[in-house]
Amino acid sequence: MPLYPLLPISLLIAWMNGAVALCILIAVGIALTWRGQSVYSHVGVLLLVLWGFMHPDAEPLPADGPYTFVIESRRDNGQSVRLYGQIDEREGVLTGRDLALGRPGETCLVTFTHTPFAPLRNTGGFNEAAWALGAGLTFKGSDVAIESCRPSDNVSGHMIRWKERQLARIEATYRSDVALYMEALLFGESRLLDEETSFSYRVTGLLHLLVISGSHIALLVLAFRWLMRGLPFRRETKTQLIITAITLFGWMTGFSPPVARAVLVADLLLGLSLFGIYVRDPIRLLSWCGAMLLAMQPYLLWNLGFQLTIVMTLFLLVTRSIWNGPFGLAVYAQWFGLIFLWPVQSILSILAPVYNVLVGLLIAWVIIPLAFLIYIVPGAEPLMHPVLDGLNGTFQLHHDWQPWFPLHEFTLWHAVALAIVLWGGLILLEWKRWTGWALALGSLLLLHIALEWTEQPRVTFLDVGQGDAIVVEYGEVTGVIDVGGVYQDPNEQKRSTYDPGADVVAPYIWKRGERRLDFLLLTHADHDHIGGLTGLLEAMPVEEVWLSAEVADRDKRDELLAVLAEFDVPVRLLSAGDRPYPWMWVVAPDESSDDENANSVSLFMNVGALSYLLTGDLPDTREGSIPTVDVDVFKLGHHGAESSSSRELIERIDPEWIVVSVGANNRYGHPHPDTLDRIEGRRLLRTDEDGMVVCEGNRCRGIVTKGVTP
């Protein structure tokens, strides 16, 4: 089997990282492909395994600085700055604010606070630790201070500084969206990628087209061959020049996994052609290329870009006799790509195959050539405007229509089962096309039904920092209580902003297999409870929004109602005694107050086997009106402030589990030490330490307990 060369080195890396399930799967693959391999294959595989085994583990950096930091890349987002680079040949990232010094291609003296990479804190959210592992990053620092910088004097430093000059010229010369595509497709840089464009490309499965990949390298080879037709050089000399040019191009763009794979394959094919050797088995060639990349950089096994570029290409080569034309190629690519995208993506458009064909052809045959032309002849920029205007317009229509389906959370074994069934469907396609399609589509439907059927009633306290966001799932009802909120300085122009409604709540709802909400309760109008409202409403429809019947700040209420009117969402006012559902009982507010917190909607819930009391930011002066009912779970009022969650209330309701939604190192000092004293001896879960807190069955648990270092 031509896949064999890739498997032993993958097994070694998985074993060294303790990935037992993956080791079992790879071992089965080796057993199935072992026979029939030549002695040379076994020897080559053994050498690669020994090479990979000799990679030393990265030693931790010394505790004290300053450090000599070689900067490779910089990302500015308002006043926030991220610097990527090396310290003693160890890759890492530093974060800070208002850093005037520190440019790519420079070596600087830096001091910083060592910070662990954060694990997954919310289902559907960003797993920084997994990203760092796949990117080969071994350290992270915050509170960065830069003392001095000098140009890096090696060849790489000169190349990076030249590249930065080109990027600066592009950003100063062209319209922002034109500059985005030029930087991404010519230099492999995505620093101009904004949230809206990123979301459009992710939901349509197009993000791989916005980076340099194999198609770009193939176009470069064809372009170089065409340009060199009239040169008075021998064929071998032209081939050597092409090898040199594409290798330099890959180096200049940073050798991301797709670029590294494409350049390595192209270099091998062109190099072998110099000796009159032409590869007849592209699958075996790609397997050897993937194995060599893993031997050089073992962390790539965990890199999604590497997984997609190697495994997807192998898959398409294996199935090339089945699919016909570009649309068939796109359908099969999306089909197989689900296995990799499902765990890391929340939604995918049903139009993804169509977009992959049309936009893929547009980028390959129109946008890339125009980008090269505009780079050489700036006056040609207007040629790009109607192309990008039309593309952006289709994305806007697509976003307004929202023809996407949620990718419900599932386990590795769900992914294995899905892969087996999809592969079986492909095999059947060669003989009975409709049977194969029925098996594949039926398996997706059955997986969705199985995941929905096994769900239990659940209440989830999402980690949105210093704020509240609670998801309630009971039977056919799915609702949200508050949507968090983070203060954004209006004077700080950011390309990317954090919105808890769009970045935390909506992805979690999608990962629960839902596309809409039955209700959204906003307990009161403080920003840390309603700041993510717009982001959530833009992401999914809401049947009804519930507000407190009592108002302290009429201006805030009017602003809130104006936002809801824009989305045409019905509004319902709640007060003590209301029962929106038989299992939900509103207990406050029972009278008006001039304090916004005192008007917080408070309620009892019986969801599954657990009972809950949620009091928003209700102060202790209003807690006397709450009935005496034993509860299993109590969310501390006002994020654990001293002025809420009185000892008298806690003793009356006698909760087994106490949850506090609070931001790490928040400026308010929440939860207050006096509040913690009042709940001593009870089970406490806090979102700043435990991440998302899930209550189902008869217990509550946090998704994480601490940050981790790869």
Side-chain angles (χ1 to χ4, degrees), residues 209-517:
L209 295 178
L210 208 55
V211 296
I212 297 172
S213 60
S215 60
H216 300 73
I217 302 302
L219 284 174
L220 273 180
V221 172
L222 292 175
F224 281 129
R225 285 191 183 280
W226 182 77
L227 291 172
M228 291 181 179
R229 287 184 306 171
L231 296 180
F233 298 142
R234 297 172 56 199
R235 182 184 65 85
E236 291 78 4
T237 303
K238 293 179 181 179
T239 301
Q240 292 169 357
L241 289 174
I242 293 174
I243 292 174
T244 303
I246 62 174
T247 303
L248 286 174
F249 178 74
W251 176 47
M252 182 188 69
T253 57
F255 274 128
S256 65
V259 175
R261 186 269 302 171
V263 170
L264 183 58
V265 170
D267 283 350
L268 284 175
L269 289 174
L270 292 171
L272 291 173
S273 71
L274 292 174
F275 302 95
I277 302 174
Y278 297 94
V279 176
R280 296 181 179 179
D281 190 345
I283 299 176
R284 181 171 291 274
L285 173 65
L286 188 60
S287 298
W288 280 111
C289 289
M292 285 187 283
L293 288 173
L294 287 177
M296 291 185 289
Q297 298 175 320
Y299 65 84
L300 287 178
L301 184 65
W302 318 110
N303 185 286
L304 180 61
F306 175 83
Q307 295 167 3
L308 287 174
T309 191
I310 294 292
V311 182
M312 180 68 73
T313 306
L314 286 172
F315 169 78
L316 293 176
L317 288 173
V318 170
T319 60
R320 61 188 181 276
S321 63
I322 304 176
W323 47 266
N324 297 308
F327 184 71
L329 170 64
V331 170
Y332 288 107
Q334 289 294 321
W335 190 347
F336 189 74
L338 273 177
I339 301 169
F340 294 91
L341 292 177
W342 204 306
V344 299
Q345 195 159 309
S346 301
I347 49 175
L348 189 67
S349 172
I350 61 175
L351 296 178
V354 177
Y355 266 94
N356 267 264
V357 173
L358 299 180
V359 179
L361 293 174
L362 182 69
I363 288 179
W365 298 105
V366 179
I367 295 180
I368 291 178
L370 281 178
F372 274 109
L373 174 63
I374 294 168
Y375 176 70
I376 299 170
V377 185
E381 181 193 3
L383 296 174
M384 185 82 88
H385 292 174
V387 177
L388 296 187
D389 290 343
L391 180 59
N392 295 334
T394 63
F395 281 142
Q396 185 58 54
L397 290 173
H398 180 268
H399 187 73
D400 293 339
W401 184 28
Q402 297 186 350
W404 48 66
F405 60 91
L407 301 177
H408 200 299
E409 60 179 317
F410 66 1
T411 66
L412 172 64
W413 299 112
H414 285 118
V416 173
L418 180 63
I420 293 173
V421 176
L422 291 181
W423 193 270
L426 285 173
I427 294 174
L428 288 175
L429 280 176
E430 289 197 83
W431 296 283
K432 297 181 179 180
R433 183 167 296 273
W434 288 111
T435 304
W437 280 115
L439 178 61
L441 296 176
S443 66
L444 292 175
L445 180 60
L446 287 175
L447 177 63
H448 175 75
I449 293 174
L451 291 171
E452 288 285 329
W453 183 72
T454 56
E455 287 182 354
Q456 301 181 56
R458 165 188 284 201
V459 174
T460 306
F461 302 84
L462 296 174
D463 176 20
V464 291
Q466 185 66 16
D468 275 1
I470 305 165
V471 180
V472 181
E473 301 170 76
Y474 193 17
E476 298 297 320
V477 176
T478 301
V480 170
I481 302 174
D482 290 331
V483 286
V486 176
Y487 173 75
Q488 308 282 355
D489 186 349
N491 297 319
E492 184 178 357
Q493 298 299 317
K494 286 191 172 185
R495 181 170 293 110
S496 175
T497 57
Y498 169 72
D499 184 299
D503 299 330
V504 177
V505 181
Y508 179 77
I509 299 297
W510 289 324
K511 274 299 183 183
R512 298 299 297 161
E514 304 294 337
R515 298 184 66 249
R516 51 173 287 281
L517 291 174

Side-chain angles (χ1 to χ4, degrees), residues 634-636 639-640 658-662 671 684-688:
F634 172 53
K635 188 191 76 67
L636 284 180
H639 320 289
I658 292 181
V659 179
V660 55
S661 184
V662 63
L684 173 66
L685 291 167
R686 42 192 295 175
T687 57
D688 61 336

